[in-house]
Amino acid sequence: MPYSHIQWPEGLDEARFLAEYWQQKPLLIRQALPDFETPLPADELAGLSLEPETTPRLITQDGTGAYHLEHGPFEADRFETLTGNDWSLLVTDVEKHLPDILHYLQPFGFLPGWRIDDLMISYAPLGASVGAHIDEYDVFLLQASGARRWSIEAPAAASYELVPDSELKLLSSFKATDTWELEAGDLLYLPPGVPHHGVASAEPCTTWSIGFRAPTTADFVMRMAEMICEKLPKQRYTDAPLTPATPGEIDGNALARFADIWNQAIGSNKETLAMMTGQFLTESANVSNTSRVDDDESLDSFADDYWQAAPFSRFAWRSLSDDNSDNATVQLFVDGEAHQCSRRFAIELCRAGNSINSTDHQLSTDDATLLRQLAFEGSLMRQEDEE
């Protein structure tokens, strides 16, 4: 059964965690999700890695101790060749391929929804590991089944040497300062850059990694520059009044004109920059139109059915005023596009694993129209009836 919140230890809550631990230092929470039972056993995870739209990885270790990486999807007979404890299976974007899993992300809803990247689930036989490494983003490591021994090296250094000539970004040296045994329901939070090493202990195990998006500065600036360029007029450089030139010199007048062009191009106002940021943060290269509804779909069917975010679609929103009422108009971002809707509708769309029915939720005419538009565009899909 999905959980609604993390079971914080005494003296700790969401606000204190954010103030004292988030992006600052690791935290182990015993039985954060008490009596956790995984909804995805190891054999079903292996089955998912065979599906054509998935991006699983298989990490194997040879007799010299070196690690090797294989990319899936895999064939079923690949698993028949695996023996012993020299391999691990990792499947990314599990919640996108299995939307029912989305409900299990609700305990992390106190963090900005647009920051959550994906749920990766890994399986390891007894004694297996993927090697010591660091992540460049925040991650919660939830033990879903079995047990895993996690070690970390703290405090994190400014830089580390990696194993040369390897596709995997593994650390060439690792000195554990803290070690814990995690069992089902235990949760380990690691901020970016903390070296860590996990080994399946006591029995084979599955571990859930809830990772958080952290765009690089270069990625953000580059995409914003592209958006700005898309809006610029088709205009070429023109000279200021010229005087006879010195061979090869770029004179001050030319530099000043280019500076003016640059400043005018990036001189977007605060509202425009906010809109472009929202578009950037919700863009997804993996959005497909497989869930798009038919153009001739009746209005009655939209009123009767429940709708939820399509796999790989991204939703976020921002306020347009100081009005925090349910009916306040906000800007909604969906898969890189900007819309307007009520604050209540935006929150319901962004809630992990949530589904919306226009009648039950008493949507306004404008919100219901937007719901239908998002369904036509493939950003929303019908919720399948539970058998």
Side-chain angles (χ1 to χ4, degrees):
M1 185 68 182
Y3 297 78
S4 61
H5 62 279
I6 292 172
Q7 188 70 42
W8 299 99
E10 185 176 356
L12 190 65
D13 58 16
E14 296 172 352
R16 187 175 175 188
F17 168 79
L18 293 172
E20 298 182 11
Y21 291 93
W22 180 251
Q23 298 197 325
Q24 298 171 61
K25 56 186 177 182
L27 176 67
L28 172 64
I29 308 174
R30 294 290 185 190
Q31 290 302 287
L33 303 182
D35 303 317
F36 185 86
E37 294 184 10
T38 180
L40 192 67
D43 58 341
E44 293 184 20
L45 181 68
L48 181 61
S49 74
L50 310 181
E51 296 297 324
E53 298 299 322
T54 59
T55 53
R57 291 168 291 166
L58 191 63
I59 298 177
T60 57
Q61 192 173 18
D62 63 26
T64 69
Y67 290 91
H68 304 277
L69 174 65
E70 298 176 39
H71 294 279
F74 301 108
E75 299 293 334
D77 56 8
R78 179 65 182 97
F79 291 100
E80 297 174 4
T81 66
L82 299 172
T83 59
N85 63 349
D86 58 357
W87 63 278
S88 296
L89 173 67
L90 297 79
V91 183
T92 58
D93 292 318
V94 172
E95 84 290 358
K96 301 178 182 69
H97 297 292
L98 302 175
D100 287 345
I101 298 289
L102 265 175
H103 292 284
Y104 287 85
L105 299 183
Q106 287 181 0
F108 307 96
F110 68 98
L111 293 157
W114 59 266
R115 286 278 269 119
I116 295 180
D117 190 17
D118 82 319
L119 168 63
M120 181 186 75
I121 301 181
S122 61
Y123 168 79
L126 178 62
S129 168
V130 298
H133 61 283
I134 60 175
D135 293 320
E136 298 178 348
Y137 48 82
D138 302 90
V139 62
F140 286 94
L141 301 168
L142 171 67
Q143 198 57 35
S145 68
R148 192 185 289 262
R149 180 182 302 114
W150 282 107
S151 300
I152 67 169
E153 182 178 337
S159 62
Y160 293 92
E161 291 189 8
L162 301 179
V163 174
D165 303 321
S166 174
E167 289 184 84
L168 298 163
K169 295 182 179 181
L170 301 180
L171 302 176
S172 59
S173 64
F174 174 78
K175 297 179 181 179
T177 57
D178 300 274
T179 299
W180 307 280
E181 294 275 344
L182 270 66
E183 298 180 344
D186 293 340
L187 185 68
L188 176 62
Y189 163 72
L190 296 176
V194 174
H196 51 288
H197 185 209
V199 180
S201 57
E203 57 183 317
C205 71
T206 56
T207 301
W208 291 19
S209 300
I210 299 96
F212 288 76
R213 299 181 74 198
T216 66
T217 301
D219 286 343
F220 172 65
V221 172
M222 184 178 299
R223 184 64 185 110
M224 295 293 276
E226 290 173 348
M227 290 184 182
I228 290 171
C229 289
E230 290 167 2
K231 301 178 184 299
L232 292 178
K234 305 298 183 183
Q235 185 175 324
R236 288 184 177 272
Y237 170 84
T238 58
D239 288 309
L242 292 178
T243 58
T246 303
E249 180 188 13
I250 305 172
D251 65 19
N253 287 335
L255 292 173
R257 286 183 77 79
F258 278 112
D260 288 341
I261 292 171
W262 174 256
N263 290 330
Q264 290 175 19
I266 66 172
S268 301
N269 60 43
K270 182 178 178 181
E271 287 299 306
T272 301
L273 289 173
M275 183 179 71
M276 290 193 301
T277 299
Q279 293 174 305
F280 165 75
L281 292 174
T282 56
E283 285 181 328
S284 175
N286 295 315
V287 171
S288 67
N289 294 324
T290 56
S291 61
R292 188 189 293 260
V293 300
D294 296 332
D295 290 341
D296 58 356
E297 189 100 18
S298 70
L299 289 173
D300 290 342
S301 67
F302 281 86
D304 294 338
D305 290 334
Y306 285 81
W307 301 86
Q308 63 186 34
F312 294 99
S313 282
R314 291 190 175 277
F315 290 73
W317 63 275
R318 72 178 186 100
S319 295
L320 296 175
S321 68
D322 294 331
D323 185 356
N324 291 323
S325 67
D326 286 348
N327 294 324
T329 299
V330 302
Q331 193 163 49
L332 176 71
F333 302 101
V334 183
D335 298 330
E337 299 294 333
H339 310 273
Q340 288 194 354
C341 66
S342 71
R343 184 176 185 273
R344 181 171 69 94
F345 185 48
I347 293 174
E348 293 297 326
L349 284 173
C350 295
R351 202 183 302 277
N354 197 32
S355 59
I356 293 182
N357 173 276
S358 61
T359 302
D360 288 356
H361 287 78
Q362 298 180 334
L363 298 184
S364 68
T365 301
D366 289 343
D367 287 349
T369 299
L370 178 56
L371 182 146
R372 193 166 186 262
Q373 176 185 339
L374 296 176
F376 278 131
E377 293 173 351
S379 297
L380 291 176
M381 67 178 188
R382 277 189 178 84
Q383 183 183 42
E384 295 183 3
D385 294 331
E386 296 184 3
E387 296 181 357

